[in-house]
Amino acid sequence: MSRSAAWAETRTMLRWKRSGSLISYALLTLGLGVMVFPFLWMISTSFKMLDEIYSLSLIPSRVTWDNYAAIFQGTPFPRWMLNSLYVAVIATVSVCVFDSITGYILAKFTFWGKQVIFVLILSTLMVPTEMLIIPWYLVSSSFNGMDTYWGILFPGLISGFGIFLMKQFMESLPSELLDAARIDGMGEWGIFLRIAVPLVRPAFATLCILTFLGSWNSFIWPLIITQSEEMFTIPVGMAFFSSEAKDSSNWVQIMTGATLSVLPLIVLFLCFQKQIIRGIATTGLK
Amino acid sequence: MRTTGVIPSRPKRRLWFGPGIGRLNYRHKQRLFIYGGLLIPLIYFVVIRILPILYSFNVSFREWGMLSPDKPFVGFDNYVTLLSDPLFLKSLVNTGIYVVVGVPAQLIAGLIVALLLQQVVKLRGLFRTAYFIPYVTSVVAVSWIFRWLLMKNGIVNALFIELGLGPQSFLYSPSQAIFWIIAVMVWQNIGFQMLIFLAGLQNIPKLYYEAAAIDGATGWQRFVHITIPLLNPVMLLSVVMASIGFLQSFTQVLNMTGGGPLDSTISVVLHIYNLAFKSFDMGLASAATVILFVIIFILTLVQLKVLGSRFQQE
């Protein structure tokens, strides 16, 4: 191949590559619109006056906070948000405590029954929640667990997924370090709390956020266990409130409620996206 | 038995009950830590996750009304009733549609986004964030947002009319509704799928592509012969996880259509929910959960076997 021909080929390849990435940018931008627009439309609707909700402009001609005032004063939405927050915080703390201990022990010790325990925990991930819900419900109703925080909470206090995640991270701890502490006479709990835990702090961040998100968004169990409006979590309240809404003007309120249930999560995600993305990549691949 | 680390085990074991706890030997203390630490999680998993499964099987063989005090054993009656119930069969067929349409759609969409993201350098972080946002948001809220977007005089219909496609009834159409629900599910999960594929793509050595390019392989050939085979383990995991997810379709269905119009979108889980918490027939509902469990179990095994063996061959 002559030199100029080779040069020409390189040039066409470069041009092809550049146009290729141009097409990529165009397609990605289009997709970005599809991903983001529903949220923008939701927020926009929540700021519209009633007479404007069917207008097709993204920016309302008159911005109003009335919908938010109405939802805070006239509906139990604030209570639902507090319920969700309370449940999510307790679930997160409990999951972090128990899953980290279990993950650490499964990752760093050899003992009788270890394989059985690990397989047992992993196999619970395969069981559909629907199968557990009816027994949970029957037991809760005979133990006065209906409509209580404990009732909402108990299925989420320890998570098999979290144990798996923590085990992955704990395995990367150098055993020599733990043994060095043992030789120095540190107790096992001391080693766990003062050496292992601080070293896997990023894993804790991932686990905390994923548990919090999961709890805040969980729907089917809170829907079944809660009965009175004051005990609803935000997804249950959202579904109840929206399906109760009869006339179409309520779309403004529904979108205001949707904004309130979605926006805190988007903000949380934007703050911690590095941990979330790493956590998913880690568990997804191993 | 081996212990982790460098400390050699002592030749002579002391008695478990012998000295006070402070003078227990190192191995005993470690045992105490291990089983002590695992005690609560183990009890929890057995009581909250394992026993309920057995209990479900038990309930499924009984006539279990919430109000009657005795729950007589009826053998397979509940299963027979279910399998001759046209609504349950309809929900099985629909769930099949959710899986067969939803899983490939979700995988292909995720793969396309991941591949496109690999082509760009600038703004990659921004795109990744934007595509992932729906995944972290509440399914209930998203369902209602799409109901609003897809309503008769909503924005999507306005767009359809503008494009000359005519007004559509979307979620109110018995032939379309299920596909709109699937579209929303895919929309919400694209970001997750994209992340999994991005991580998988990053593990493929660049060297392979360079070697193939030198040998004159076109972009498409490189994609078919390098990317796809090397993504196979990731693909396998994604297929299994997405299938389980679509088999459990519930929240979107309940919130977007409630199973209608004309039961065209009802899923097995929604049917279970109606049986258990609308008609309070726990026996029938439990039998339905057992059937769902068996389906998930068999499908997962088959997928692991079929796709897994293909991966071995590559």
Side-chain angles (χ1 to χ4, degrees), chain B residues 7-313:
Chain B
I7 302 173
S9 51
R10 295 192 183 182
K12 206 171 66 183
R13 288 202 179 184
R14 283 192 200 162
L15 277 177
W16 174 250
F17 305 101
I21 205 158
R23 290 187 27 224
L24 281 175
N25 82 23
Y26 156 73
R27 262 156 164 267
H28 286 153
K29 272 195 211 158
Q30 206 171 50
R31 283 290 105 84
L32 201 64
F33 171 75
I34 290 170
Y35 294 112
L38 288 179
L39 187 66
I40 296 176
L42 263 186
I43 294 174
Y44 179 87
F45 271 96
V46 170
V47 173
I48 309 283
R49 310 265 153 154
I50 309 283
L51 291 180
I53 301 174
L54 304 176
Y55 197 59
S56 258
F57 276 97
N58 177 25
V59 175
S60 80
F61 291 116
R62 287 167 191 280
E63 190 184 319
W64 194 297
M66 281 305 276
L67 295 173
S68 65
D70 51 320
K71 329 278 188 195
F73 183 84
V74 294
F76 282 93
D77 277 13
N78 287 325
Y79 293 90
V80 174
T81 312
L82 272 180
L83 292 174
S84 52
D85 170 15
L87 190 56
F88 180 70
L89 296 177
K90 175 93 188 163
S91 76
L92 272 181
V93 172
N94 285 343
T95 304
I97 298 177
Y98 283 114
V99 174
V100 170
V101 179
V103 173
Q106 180 175 319
L107 258 70
I108 292 170
L111 186 60
I112 289 175
V113 175
L115 287 171
L116 287 175
L117 269 183
Q118 274 216 321
Q119 306 287 315
V120 305
V121 183
K122 280 183 201 156
L123 300 178
R124 191 191 274 192
L126 174 81
F127 283 125
R128 201 179 54 181
T129 304
Y131 281 87
F132 197 70
I133 281 179
Y135 184 74
V136 302
T137 57
S138 146
V139 176
V140 177
V142 163
S143 302
W144 285 91
I145 296 170
F146 274 91
R147 257 181 101 148
W148 171 228
L149 289 167
L150 293 172
M151 70 181 297
K152 206 172 76 205
N153 34 8
I155 180 107
V156 178
N157 233 343
L159 188 75
F160 268 61
I161 294 167
E162 191 72 27
L163 291 173
L165 292 165
Q168 302 290 326
S169 40
F170 301 115
L171 297 170
Y172 293 96
S173 147
S175 57
Q176 286 181 14
I178 194 167
F179 299 105
W180 287 105
I181 296 181
I182 293 173
V184 174
M185 290 169 169
V186 170
W187 177 84
Q188 195 157 18
N189 285 310
I190 281 181
F192 177 77
Q193 206 62 67
M194 163 201 82
L195 271 194
I196 302 284
F197 281 140
L198 268 182
L201 287 172
Q202 265 155 19
N203 283 353
I204 301 177
K206 293 268 176 300
L207 203 68
Y208 293 177
Y209 291 106
E210 283 157 17
I214 289 169
D215 287 346
T218 63
W220 177 252
Q221 284 172 328
R222 274 175 277 167
F223 175 70
V224 172
H225 295 290
I226 301 175
T227 313
I228 294 291
L230 286 174
L231 267 185
N232 229 327
V234 183
M235 211 79 94
L236 172 66
L237 181 90
S238 292
V239 170
V240 172
M241 282 173 58
S243 304
I244 294 178
F246 277 97
L247 276 171
Q248 293 177 272
S249 304
F250 170 73
T251 308
Q252 289 93 341
V253 187
L254 179 71
N255 282 289
M256 288 174 75
T257 62
L262 302 175
D263 299 320
S264 65
T265 58
I266 192 167
S267 65
V268 172
V269 177
L270 181 59
H271 191 57
I272 292 172
Y273 172 78
N274 287 337
L275 282 175
F277 304 105
K278 292 278 181 326
S279 357
F280 290 99
D281 193 332
M282 296 298 169
L284 221 48
S286 293
T289 63
V290 171
I291 292 175
L292 180 70
F293 174 66
V294 171
I295 292 174
I296 290 183
F297 193 73
I298 291 174
L299 197 73
T300 307
L301 280 189
V302 169
Q303 284 170 343
L304 287 176
K305 193 128 184 97
V306 173
L307 295 170
S309 67
R310 236 185 57 205
F311 163 55
Q312 296 278 312
Q313 280 165 14

Side-chain angles (χ1 to χ4, degrees), chain A residues 16-17 20-21 23-25 27-32 34-39 41-42 45 53-54 56 98-99 101-102 104-106 108-113 117 120-121 123-139 141 153-160 163 175 179 182-183 188-189 192 213 216-217 219-220 223-224 234-236 238-239 242-243 248 251 254-255 258 261-262 265-266 269-270 273 276-277 280-281 283-286, chain B residues 1-7 26 29-31 33-38 40-42 44-50 52-53 55-57 59 64 66 113 116-117 119-123 125-142 144-149 151 153-155 158 187-188 190-192 195-196 199-200 203 219 234 237 240 244 248 250-251 254-255 269 272-273 276-277 280 282 285-286 289-290 292-293 296-297 300 304:
Chain A
W16 184 83
K17 230 180 160 170
S21 80
I23 293 171
S24 302
Y25 274 111
L27 289 175
L28 282 170
T29 311
L30 190 73
L32 180 109
V34 175
M35 300 317 273
V36 175
F37 180 79
F39 293 117
W41 193 242
M42 163 193 83
T45 307
I53 64 164
Y54 291 112
L56 297 178
F98 289 111
D99 286 13
I101 295 174
T102 316
Y104 172 69
I105 292 175
L106 288 175
K108 282 293 159 199
F109 294 88
T110 325
F111 55 93
W112 183 85
I117 293 173
L120 185 121
I121 291 172
S123 63
T124 60
L125 290 177
M126 303 281 283
V127 179
T129 334
E130 291 74 33
M131 202 170 179
L132 307 172
I133 274 177
I134 292 171
W136 286 346
Y137 173 83
L138 294 175
V139 171
S141 59
L153 267 167
F154 79 83
L157 289 176
I158 304 181
S159 106
I163 291 176
S175 292
D179 285 331
R182 268 176 208 126
I183 292 168
E188 290 296 339
W189 284 103
F192 170 67
L213 288 176
W216 180 278
N217 289 334
F219 179 62
I220 184 164
L223 173 72
I224 288 160
I234 201 148
V236 182
M238 178 75 212
S242 311
S243 48
S248 62
W251 276 110
I254 294 173
M255 286 303 113
S261 63
V262 157
L265 291 191
I266 294 182
F269 167 65
L270 291 179
Q273 54 167 319
I276 297 176
I277 284 170
I280 285 169
T283 44
L285 276 184
K286 282 182 182 166
Chain B
M1 191 165 293
R2 237 158 27 84
T3 44
T4 332
V6 292
I7 302 173
Y26 156 73
K29 272 195 211 158
Q30 206 171 50
R31 283 290 105 84
F33 171 75
I34 290 170
Y35 294 112
L38 288 179
I40 296 176
L42 263 186
Y44 179 87
F45 271 96
V46 170
V47 173
I48 309 283
R49 310 265 153 154
I50 309 283
I53 301 174
Y55 197 59
S56 258
F57 276 97
V59 175
W64 194 297
M66 281 305 276
V113 175
L116 287 175
L117 269 183
Q119 306 287 315
V120 305
V121 183
K122 280 183 201 156
L123 300 178
L126 174 81
F127 283 125
R128 201 179 54 181
T129 304
Y131 281 87
F132 197 70
I133 281 179
Y135 184 74
V136 302
T137 57
S138 146
V139 176
V140 177
V142 163
W144 285 91
I145 296 170
F146 274 91
R147 257 181 101 148
W148 171 228
L149 289 167
M151 70 181 297
N153 34 8
I155 180 107
W187 177 84
Q188 195 157 18
I190 281 181
F192 177 77
L195 271 194
I196 302 284
N203 283 353
V234 183
L237 181 90
V240 172
I244 294 178
Q248 293 177 272
F250 170 73
T251 308
L254 179 71
N255 282 289
V269 177
I272 292 172
Y273 172 78
F277 304 105
F280 290 99
M282 296 298 169
S286 293
T289 63
V290 171
L292 180 70
F293 174 66
I296 290 183
F297 193 73
T300 307
L304 287 176

